[in-house]
Amino acid sequence: MDFDFALLYHSFGNVMLDWHVLLAIFIGVTGGITIGALPGLTATMGVALLVPFTFGRPPVESLGMLLGIYCGGMYGGSISAILIRTPGTPAAAATVLEGYPMGQRGEAGRALAMALFASFSGGMFGALVMTFLSPYVAGVALEFSYVEYFALALFGLSVIISISGTSIIKGVMAGLFGLVLSTIGMDPISGYPRFTFGVIDLMEGPSFIPTLIGLFAVAELFSNIEKMGVTEKIKARIGQYFPSLADIKTSAPNILKSSAIGTIVGAIPGAGGDIAAFVSYAEAKRSSRHPEKFGTGLIEGVAATESANNACSGGAMIPLLSLGVPGDAVTAVLLGAFIVQGLQPGPLLYKEHMDIVYNVFAAMIVANVAMLVVGAFGVRFFARVIGIQKEILIPIIFVLSLCGSYAMRQNVFDVYLTIGFGVIGYLMQRYDYPLSPILLALILGPMAEANLRRSMVVSGGDWHILVSRPIAVSLMVLGVAFMVASVFNHKRIEKRLAEARLADTTP
Amino acid sequence: MKTADLIGGSSGIALGAYVLYEGSKMPADLIMKIGPSYFPDVLAIGLIFFSLILIIYALLGRAKGQAEAIRFKDKGIQRALISLLAIVAYAVLLDQLGYPIVTVLLVAGIMILLGKRSPLQIAGVSLATTFVVWLLFAKLLMLSMPMGILEDLV
């Protein structure tokens, strides 16, 4: 599939000249930065909470807003990481290492300016790679048959399970739990109702948006309520909006390298911004001329982690758009938002809704510019937002969660579903079961099952069909390789992450 | 973490067993060889297998990480439980009492639960939240919110 420059140009017009879309993107970015800056509220939660607000709006407008939240949320996490040593999102955990010591030295403004600039550069890099690469990936994927889709789902699942969480066993259990949940409802081939307990509302399986609001918002609220801390007051003075030329010059090689790392990590299903940031940080430290200074507040460190986690968002969009397989938890939520709009991401989207795909490209690029503008002029406001009392914030998010899950089908059953998944998510998180495999399994499960069964229909029940196509075989082999490698590497990675986190908690 | 893993593993086995039991009642597919129960069965067997490993690890004393037990005497757990009850009550009463009443009550209730005492602040935040969220859903997105006993007033 060739790249269509004229269509991209036209899509920029659609996004920038329609004030509804532009406004939606700016609202999304502002909301995303706010949510990202608030510790305990992640970008995933932000998108999940705000998906209901896109019901009934035109696709470009609603997707623009959600992409804005995604980009903004990734940057927003750095604000609280630098100012109060608490990463606003998991992806900003690595930013604490250099950002907070800078803030302590009275250089919070300089660190924040670099975080924003690096986020913008990384985000732009990721968005551009996405724009120019995904049509080609989709072109290849158009040739895929049921067998390749089955293999792709299997590959995605194996990667997700092997890299998430502190324990592989618990990661696998969470993934299998999600897959079992995905079988609730009518069987995709014969229509036989499974595990519905006779409840009509479960015929189509647990509704996606209420489920994820439960897992990612309500569960988080319960743990926030359980461990109510004292809200920190921000004392730092912020007098700088853009980094100095000297800082840009020092950090440029790291920004470029980390953007590339972030995009690649993002494109791997299941690997998100937190991993991208830690990998880039390690690389920046390894290749530095003065690695011993890392941890004392180096601007290059902030540049590396922030460009990586923002580049990750563009990377994660590549498999989502071109293959229909989300690259991380936020894109899994975005997939739900596409489906609400009646669009199924994947190669067919390029055939049937090419205009929408290019509008998404344009919206993503514009969202990054909007992030730069809103971030620069609003940094003092966002710094103050961190000080909002949780006693006020929590009940508001409860209302948004419950009403959001009710709104789509106007059905109280969905509210119960949200509460139920909130409790399950809270308990699982408390005992170290990762939640994102559940979310991705809910998407990849039906994809795996339906395509396996269809392959069987085509072959008349002959299993050999699964090994008859080279791409499918390679994907399955890669999936197994990922699992085996993760079992061997897990201890090493765990040790490193523990070290990094220890360094982060010891003053 | 040992007890937690034993409970987690047992729950996994119980869920897997239930899926297998339900699956045994589903019709078989003679042509494709794999019917509606095939996929759930494979998953259930996997879940049981990994749950067993988790239990064995826990019994061998190799459970990872620290886990805090849920103690009902703990103030935090009590707060979380009360908030759970509050949102269940919200769901139950949403259709009958209507969105405005239950939402004001929920916001005010949670604020008090979390330690807010200023009546002015509680009233202000709960009324404002209820109004703004209603405005967003009902007016901007044109989604109807249940009005319950207030139906006749609107």
Side-chain angles (χ1 to χ4, degrees):
Chain A
M1 201 176 288
D2 285 332
F3 192 80
D4 191 338
F5 280 97
L7 188 56
L8 184 66
Y9 182 71
H10 184 72
S11 302
F12 270 115
N14 279 350
V15 171
M16 285 162 63
L17 299 179
D18 184 344
W19 70 269
H20 286 107
V21 179
L22 208 56
L23 183 71
I25 292 178
F26 271 91
I27 292 175
V29 166
T30 313
I33 302 179
T34 311
I35 289 168
L38 287 163
L41 313 190
T42 61
T44 320
M45 182 176 178
V47 179
L49 275 180
L50 296 178
V51 166
F53 289 100
T54 65
F55 299 159
R57 306 301 301 173
V60 186
E61 203 178 304
S62 51
L63 293 172
M65 184 168 106
L66 295 173
L67 289 172
I69 300 169
Y70 189 13
C71 297
M74 280 288 187
Y75 155 67
S78 70
I79 302 176
S80 47
I82 292 168
L83 293 177
I84 58 169
R85 202 196 209 185
T86 314
T89 61
T95 308
V96 173
L97 303 177
E98 301 300 325
Y100 184 69
M102 283 184 75
Q104 286 300 88
R105 273 206 309 263
E107 294 178 351
R110 186 173 163 227
L112 284 169
M114 179 47 83
L116 178 63
F117 178 76
S119 295
F120 166 73
S121 316
M124 212 47 157
F125 185 96
L128 288 173
V129 173
M130 167 192 87
T131 304
F132 291 106
L133 192 67
S134 34
Y136 294 99
V137 182
V140 176
L142 269 176
E143 310 291 318
F144 281 13
S145 68
Y146 300 136
V147 183
E148 276 93 355
Y149 273 110
F150 169 67
L152 190 65
L154 222 53
F155 170 72
L157 283 168
S158 61
V159 178
I160 291 150
I161 287 164
S162 38
I163 56 178
S164 54
T166 47
S167 147
I168 294 186
I169 301 173
K170 289 185 178 175
V172 177
M173 283 177 70
L176 286 167
F177 175 62
L179 287 169
V180 168
L181 287 180
S182 78
T183 62
I184 295 177
M186 282 195 288
D187 166 39
I189 305 293
S190 68
Y192 185 86
R194 298 184 292 193
F195 317 112
T196 55
F197 308 100
V199 179
I200 307 246
D201 291 306
L202 280 177
M203 281 296 179
E204 288 175 20
S207 336
F208 189 65
I209 307 283
T211 304
L212 67 95
I213 293 180
L215 285 176
F216 287 93
V218 176
E220 201 65 55
L221 288 175
F222 285 141
S223 32
N224 268 306
I225 290 177
E226 190 203 331
K227 299 188 178 68
M228 285 282 284
V230 186
T231 316
E232 289 196 43
K233 288 244 157 40
I234 310 297
K235 293 180 212 96
R237 273 185 57 245
I238 302 161
Q240 194 178 347
Y241 301 109
F242 289 103
S244 65
L245 271 179
D247 279 350
I248 293 179
K249 222 171 147 188
T250 333
S251 307
N254 273 317
I255 290 180
L256 205 62
K257 206 161 43 178
S258 306
S259 300
I261 294 174
T263 311
I264 296 168
V265 172
I268 299 172
D274 44 348
I275 296 174
F278 273 110
V279 172
S280 303
Y281 183 72
E283 171 56 27
K285 191 173 172 182
R286 189 198 63 79
S287 61
S288 167
R289 260 178 265 156
H290 38 74
E292 72 288 349
K293 283 191 187 159
F294 272 73
T296 60
L298 273 193
I299 194 115
E300 298 103 289
V302 175
T305 55
E306 279 307 305
S307 49
N309 64 30
N310 277 72
C312 196
S313 47
M317 289 295 287
I318 300 173
L320 174 73
L321 286 173
S322 51
L323 304 171
V325 176
D328 65 1
V330 188
T331 39
V333 183
L334 281 176
L335 189 136
F338 271 91
I339 294 171
V340 167
Q341 294 287 342
L343 304 164
Q344 177 71 46
L348 285 180
L349 191 68
Y350 285 77
K351 251 189 170 170
E352 290 156 8
H353 297 283
M354 185 71 112
D355 51 330
I356 302 256
V357 176
Y358 276 74
N359 281 334
V360 167
F361 294 158
M364 188 85 176
I365 292 171
V366 173
N368 275 295
V369 179
M371 181 185 80
L372 186 68
V373 176
V374 175
F377 292 107
V379 68
R380 287 190 186 178
F381 165 76
F382 296 119
R384 216 172 289 154
V385 162
I386 302 174
I388 291 186
Q389 291 167 343
K390 283 200 169 162
E391 294 89 333
I392 294 176
L393 203 61
I394 289 173
I396 296 177
I397 300 173
F398 261 133
V399 172
L400 285 176
S401 308
L402 300 174
C403 293
S405 52
Y406 174 85
M408 190 167 144
R409 298 199 298 182
Q410 315 212 334
N411 187 342
V412 177
F413 179 80
D414 286 345
V415 183
Y416 289 120
L417 204 66
T418 300
I419 299 173
F421 276 108
V423 175
I424 292 175
Y426 164 74
L427 290 174
M428 288 184 75
Q429 225 173 14
R430 205 165 196 275
Y431 297 109
D432 286 349
Y433 296 86
L435 294 181
S436 36
I438 303 181
L439 181 57
L440 292 147
L442 280 174
I443 289 163
L444 296 176
M447 181 170 158
E449 183 181 19
N451 286 299
L452 173 68
R453 304 263 302 271
R454 281 183 200 131
S455 310
M456 286 294 135
V457 175
V458 172
S459 72
D462 184 1
W463 287 93
H464 286 106
I465 190 171
L466 295 181
V467 288
S468 64
R469 305 193 47 125
I471 296 183
V473 174
S474 331
L475 281 169
M476 284 191 252
V477 170
L478 262 177
V480 174
F482 241 105
M483 286 285 251
V484 174
S486 73
V487 172
F488 285 108
N489 282 330
H490 206 77
K491 284 211 169 82
R492 210 160 47 101
I493 296 168
E494 215 171 74
K495 206 175 136 203
R496 275 205 194 156
L497 283 178
E499 278 169 8
R501 275 170 200 148
L502 195 70
D504 153 25
T505 45
T506 40
Chain B
M1 193 56 101
K2 187 179 167 187
T3 326
D5 281 1
L6 290 177
I7 296 173
S10 313
S11 317
I13 292 175
L15 178 65
Y18 169 74
V19 170
L20 287 177
Y21 167 71
E22 281 287 315
S24 68
K25 295 192 287 185
M26 290 175 192
D29 192 308
L30 297 175
I31 308 158
M32 293 179 278
K33 294 184 184 161
I34 57 175
S37 69
Y38 179 80
F39 207 65
D41 284 352
V42 172
L43 300 172
I45 292 168
L47 189 59
I48 293 174
F49 176 76
F50 283 101
S51 303
L52 277 174
I53 296 186
L54 188 73
I55 290 178
I56 293 169
Y57 266 52
L59 289 177
L60 292 175
R62 289 175 62 187
K64 278 182 186 173
Q66 293 289 313
E68 265 178 80
I70 293 186
R71 286 190 193 83
F72 292 106
K73 278 185 185 165
D74 184 271
K75 282 267 184 303
I77 295 290
Q78 286 176 359
R79 276 199 305 264
L81 268 177
I82 296 173
S83 64
L84 171 65
L85 290 177
I87 57 173
V88 172
Y90 182 87
V92 173
L93 298 173
L94 184 62
D95 272 338
Q96 279 112 39
L97 289 184
Y99 163 81
I101 296 179
V102 280
T103 308
V104 169
L105 288 178
L106 179 74
V107 176
I110 302 262
M111 282 179 79
I112 295 169
L113 173 71
L114 299 181
K116 277 278 158 210
R117 291 293 175 265
S118 148
L120 204 66
Q121 205 175 22
I122 293 171
V125 173
S126 55
L127 287 172
T129 307
T130 308
F131 180 68
V132 172
V133 174
W134 175 79
L135 210 62
L136 287 172
F137 278 107
K139 292 293 152 196
L140 192 73
L141 303 169
M142 306 296 171
L143 299 166
S144 73
M145 300 303 278
M147 282 295 154
I149 50 172
L150 300 177
E151 195 75 63
D152 301 331
L153 292 176
V154 194

Coordinates of all heavy atoms in Angstrom, one line a residue, chain A residues 34 54-55 84 104 110 137-138 148 163 222 240 253 265 304 310 313 400 408 425 455 462 466 482 507:
Chain A
T34 N -3.6 16.9 32.7 CA -4.1 17.0 34.1 C -4.1 15.6 34.7 O -3.6 15.4 35.9 CB -5.5 17.6 34.1 OG1 -5.5 18.8 33.3 CG2 -6.0 17.9 35.5
T54 N -17.2 10.4 24.1 CA -17.1 10.5 22.7 C -18.3 9.8 22.0 O -18.4 9.8 20.8 CB -15.8 9.8 22.2 OG1 -15.9 8.4 22.5 CG2 -14.6 10.4 22.9
F55 N -19.2 9.2 22.8 CA -20.3 8.6 22.2 C -21.1 9.6 21.4 O -21.4 10.7 21.9 CB -21.3 8.0 23.2 CG -20.7 6.9 24.1 CD1 -21.2 6.6 25.3 CD2 -19.6 6.2 23.7 CE1 -20.7 5.7 26.1 CE2 -19.0 5.3 24.5 CZ -19.5 5.0 25.7
I84 N 7.1 16.4 42.8 CA 6.9 15.7 44.1 C 7.4 14.3 44.2 O 7.1 13.6 45.1 CB 5.4 15.7 44.5 CG1 4.5 15.0 43.5 CG2 4.9 17.1 44.7 CD1 3.1 14.8 43.9
Q104 N 15.0 19.5 43.2 CA 15.5 19.8 44.5 C 16.6 20.9 44.5 O 16.8 21.6 45.4 CB 16.2 18.5 45.1 CG 15.2 17.5 45.6 CD 14.3 18.0 46.7 OE1 13.2 18.6 46.4 NE2 14.7 17.8 47.9
R110 N 13.7 24.2 34.7 CA 14.5 23.7 33.6 C 14.2 22.3 33.2 O 14.1 21.9 32.1 CB 16.0 23.8 34.1 CG 17.0 23.5 33.0 CD 18.4 23.8 33.5 NE 19.4 23.1 32.7 CZ 20.4 22.4 33.2 NH1 20.6 22.3 34.5 NH2 21.3 21.8 32.4
V137 N 2.7 -1.7 6.7 CA 2.4 -2.9 7.5 C 1.0 -3.4 7.1 O 0.8 -4.6 7.0 CB 2.5 -2.6 9.0 CG1 2.2 -3.8 9.8 CG2 3.9 -2.0 9.3
A138 N 0.1 -2.4 7.0 CA -1.3 -2.8 6.6 C -1.3 -3.5 5.3 O -2.1 -4.4 5.0 CB -2.2 -1.6 6.7
E148 N -3.0 -16.5 9.7 CA -2.1 -15.5 10.2 C -2.7 -14.7 11.3 O -2.0 -14.3 12.3 CB -1.7 -14.5 9.0 CG -0.6 -15.1 8.1 CD -1.1 -15.8 6.9 OE1 -2.4 -16.0 6.9 OE2 -0.3 -16.2 6.1
I163 N 5.9 -10.1 29.4 CA 6.6 -9.0 29.9 C 5.9 -8.2 31.0 O 6.4 -7.3 31.5 CB 7.0 -8.0 28.8 CG1 5.7 -7.6 28.0 CG2 8.0 -8.5 27.9 CD1 6.0 -6.6 27.0
F222 N -10.3 2.5 44.7 CA -10.3 1.7 45.9 C -9.0 1.8 46.6 O -8.9 2.0 47.8 CB -10.7 0.3 45.7 CG -12.2 0.1 45.4 CD1 -12.7 -0.8 44.5 CD2 -13.2 0.8 46.1 CE1 -14.0 -1.0 44.2 CE2 -14.5 0.7 45.9 CZ -14.9 -0.2 44.9
Q240 N 10.5 28.9 33.7 CA 11.0 28.7 32.3 C 10.0 27.8 31.6 O 9.5 26.8 32.1 CB 12.3 27.9 32.5 CG 13.2 27.8 31.3 CD 14.5 27.1 31.5 OE1 14.9 26.8 32.7 NE2 15.2 26.7 30.5
P253 N 21.3 14.1 21.1 CA 21.5 12.7 20.7 C 20.7 11.8 21.5 O 20.2 10.8 20.9 CB 23.0 12.6 21.0 CG 23.6 13.9 21.2 CD 22.5 14.8 21.6
V265 N 9.8 -0.1 21.1 CA 9.2 -0.7 22.2 C 7.7 -0.6 22.2 O 7.0 -1.5 22.5 CB 9.8 -0.1 23.6 CG1 9.1 -0.7 24.8 CG2 11.3 -0.5 23.7
A304 N 16.0 11.7 27.9 CA 15.9 10.3 27.4 C 14.5 9.7 27.8 O 13.8 9.1 27.0 CB 17.0 9.5 28.0
N310 N 7.0 9.2 25.3 CA 6.0 9.8 24.3 C 6.1 9.2 22.9 O 5.2 9.1 22.2 CB 6.2 11.3 24.3 CG 5.5 12.0 25.4 OD1 5.9 11.9 26.5 ND2 4.4 12.6 25.0
S313 N 3.9 6.2 22.3 CA 2.5 6.3 21.9 C 2.3 6.1 20.4 O 1.4 5.4 19.9 CB 1.9 7.6 22.4 OG 2.7 8.7 22.1
L400 N -17.9 10.0 37.5 CA -17.5 9.9 36.0 C -17.5 8.4 35.6 O -18.0 8.1 34.6 CB -16.2 10.6 35.8 CG -16.2 12.1 35.7 CD1 -14.7 12.6 35.5 CD2 -17.0 12.6 34.6
M408 N -23.4 4.4 27.9 CA -23.4 3.8 26.5 C -24.6 3.1 26.2 O -25.2 3.3 25.1 CB -22.1 2.9 26.4 CG -21.9 2.5 25.0 SD -20.3 1.8 24.8 CE -20.7 0.5 23.7
G425 N -10.3 -6.0 40.0 CA -9.0 -5.3 39.7 C -8.3 -4.9 40.9 O -7.1 -5.0 41.0
S455 N -10.3 -21.1 10.5 CA -9.3 -21.9 9.8 C -9.8 -23.3 9.7 O -9.6 -24.0 8.7 CB -8.0 -21.8 10.5 OG -7.6 -20.5 10.8
D462 N -8.7 -30.0 9.7 CA -7.3 -30.5 9.6 C -6.4 -29.5 10.2 O -6.3 -28.3 9.8 CB -7.0 -30.6 8.1 CG -5.6 -31.2 7.9 OD1 -4.9 -31.5 8.9 OD2 -5.1 -31.4 6.7
L466 N -2.6 -24.9 10.2 CA -1.9 -23.9 11.1 C -0.4 -23.7 10.7 O 0.2 -22.7 11.0 CB -2.1 -24.2 12.5 CG -3.5 -24.2 13.1 CD1 -3.6 -24.5 14.5 CD2 -4.2 -22.8 12.8
F482 N 9.7 -15.6 22.6 CA 9.5 -14.5 23.6 C 9.2 -15.1 24.9 O 9.8 -14.7 25.9 CB 8.3 -13.7 23.1 CG 8.7 -12.2 22.9 CD1 8.8 -11.8 21.6 CD2 8.9 -11.4 23.9 CE1 9.1 -10.5 21.3 CE2 9.3 -10.1 23.7 CZ 9.4 -9.6 22.4
P507 N 16.9 8.3 49.4 CA 17.2 9.7 49.2 C 18.7 9.9 48.9 O 19.5 9.1 49.3 CB 16.9 10.4 50.5 CG 16.6 9.4 51.5 CD 16.5 8.1 50.8

